[in-house]
Amino acid sequence: MNPSLPVPELYPAPPAPPAAASATPAAIAPPAPRTKRRRRLRGEPVFPVTWDPIRLSLAALMLISIGRIHQQLPILAVFKPGILLTLVSMGLAVALPKAVRLKDLFKTWPVKRVAWIVGIAILMAPLGLNASASLTFLMEVYLPNIVFFALLVIASRNAGDARFLIGSYVASLAILVYLSLFVWGSRSFGGFERMASNIMYDANDLGTLFTAGLPLCLLFAQTSKGVARYFGYAVAAGGPATIALSGSRGGFIALIVTGVGLLAMAPRITWGRRFAIIGIAVAMMAAFAPEGYLAKMQTIINADEDYNLTSSTGRVEIWKRGLTNLAPRPLNGVGISNFLRAQWVNQQYTESGAPVRAMSPHNTFLQIAVDLGVPAALIFLSILYGGTIGLIRIRNKLPASWLRENATRRFIYIACSYLPVSFMGWAAGAFFVSHAYLPPFYILVAFFAGTLVLLKEERRKDRQLARG
């Protein structure tokens, strides 16, 4: 498979207006000095949001999928809100066809490649180690997440819809920030304090959620105004504090990757402000980091005695066992959600004769390769490549004037600046956790696809303008 992805060509600039036949004194007068009001206009315009049932139901589903508020409030779990809201959103999409753009579902290549992965998962399930377990996982977990992904794509009709849905992800992170800072306690782990286990997320998972979400917070803030703008910045500031409280070294590495990405990609922001953003993140981590946090992070570069390298249940040994189980099935894998089962079938033992405990993959890319085969893993990586390198190339070709032309073009330019950083942060965190079938990646791809649709529409308008 050729990893190179097509990158849309640069939009042709609109033709310049004809010069006036004769200049008047007013025409040659120097421009008026920039006032505070004129400076504020750089943050505008903001595309209006359409408050309708389908987008509200999808926002609620986002709070369930990412914020997992139903797990913190058990009374909600009784109603199975994830399934209920998915069915409601599907019903609204059918009942209100003008509220969605079904024709846009397969309009972009990232959606098509997600469809290929889903097709492989379904076709290869009967060939796996346990077809029943694979089909159950498909129906109960994976396909509902894919339906959510598809609904997000067709519900992003314009920049306002896309911003609203991104805002629902930011609101979900706000819930997790609040719970991390004020509700969940801490416990001693290996000589240092870290976030206590809870029914919503493992502490390591939070790093991936937030490093993917921090750029989305900035995207939301810089395409909003008023309270919404400050809300986005506040959640972005709370993210590093939550990562510090989690005590996750993988989250710490992912946060560094995100910080470097923000330094390079933040749109039209002075270097002073870019470093100020990083400074705020460092200050928040310092303020909320638990005891022993810095010493624990230093083990990243001094890991000679780390359990991930020495223990039979550490990540390195888990990855070796995963590759061993992939070797006989490189094309079709062991079947979706059968990574653990493969370890039971091919049981290994310690030197003392005790069986090695089966463990989850702790690596998203290995997970999808072992479960679905190498071809599916390559497709998965191609989407990630397009979400990073592909979007960076697009952003580099967009004229900076788009930041001031209209709400849609401003949103596209800023989205093409921050979404690549979200994919980078997610990929860095996902290297240490098992997120191949969870919503965050597919939500990012939905935002990616929605941005490409908006981009194509603006390109079409420019072509029409060029034809006169």
Side-chain angles (χ1 to χ4, degrees), residues 180 183-188 193-203 206 245-246:
S180 300
V183 177
W184 298 331
S186 62
R187 65 184 178 94
S188 179
E193 293 293 316
R194 69 178 299 180
M195 185 183 297
S197 299
N198 58 81
I199 61 174
M200 295 174 68
Y201 282 108
D202 179 82
L206 290 174
L245 285 170
S246 73

Side-chain angles (χ1 to χ4, degrees), residues 59-60 62-73 76 167-184 200-201 206 210 231 235 242:
M62 186 76 77
L63 295 178
I64 294 298
S65 300
I66 301 299
R68 296 189 179 180
I69 56 175
H70 61 297
Q71 294 180 346
Q72 191 67 28
L73 301 173
L76 294 179
S168 66
Y169 189 104
V170 176
S172 300
L173 294 184
I175 293 172
L176 297 178
V177 168
Y178 173 79
L179 294 173
S180 300
L181 299 184
F182 304 111
V183 177
W184 298 331
M200 295 174 68
Y201 282 108
L206 290 174
F210 276 94
F231 175 73
V235 178
T242 301

Side-chain angles (χ1 to χ4, degrees), residues 286-440:
F288 289 92
E291 183 179 353
Y293 181 76
L294 185 58
K296 186 65 177 178
M297 296 306 106
Q298 289 175 342
T299 62
I300 295 173
I301 57 177
N302 184 24
D304 294 340
E305 298 181 358
D306 188 88
Y307 78 96
N308 280 310
L309 297 177
T310 60
S311 172
S312 61
T313 57
R315 281 180 170 84
V316 172
E317 291 301 319
I318 294 171
W319 297 344
K320 288 180 180 178
R321 291 195 293 273
L323 292 173
T324 298
N325 293 326
L326 172 63
R329 296 168 171 263
L331 297 180
N332 63 300
V334 299
I336 190 170
S337 191
N338 274 335
F339 190 98
L340 282 171
R341 188 174 297 276
Q343 295 175 67
W344 300 334
V345 172
N346 302 304
Q347 184 71 63
Q348 295 188 19
Y349 299 88
T350 64
E351 293 181 359
S352 63
V356 174
R357 183 162 61 98
M359 300 286 290
S360 61
H362 288 79
N363 183 293
T364 296
F365 310 104
L366 180 65
Q367 180 184 19
I368 198 166
V370 174
D371 279 359
L372 304 183
V374 174
L378 292 176
I379 296 172
F380 192 87
L381 289 173
S382 74
I383 299 173
L384 193 58
Y385 178 90
T388 52
I389 304 302
L391 272 177
I392 290 172
R393 289 177 176 175
I394 292 173
R395 203 296 294 270
N396 289 341
K397 293 182 178 181
L398 293 177
S401 62
W402 276 33
L403 283 169
R404 297 178 297 276
E405 289 187 20
N406 58 52
T408 298
R409 295 194 172 193
R410 175 179 171 80
F411 177 85
I412 292 171
Y413 191 98
I414 297 178
C416 289
S417 301
Y418 283 125
L419 281 176
V421 186
S422 285
F423 276 105
M424 291 177 198
W426 179 87
F431 193 83
F432 304 100
V433 294
S434 310
H435 278 204
Y437 314 117
L438 299 183

Side-chain angles (χ1 to χ4, degrees), residues 14-26:
S22 61
T24 65

Side-chain angles (χ1 to χ4, degrees), residues 221-241:
Q222 293 180 19
T223 54
S224 302
K225 57 184 178 180
V227 175
R229 175 186 291 268
Y230 295 113
F231 175 73
Y233 284 132
V235 178

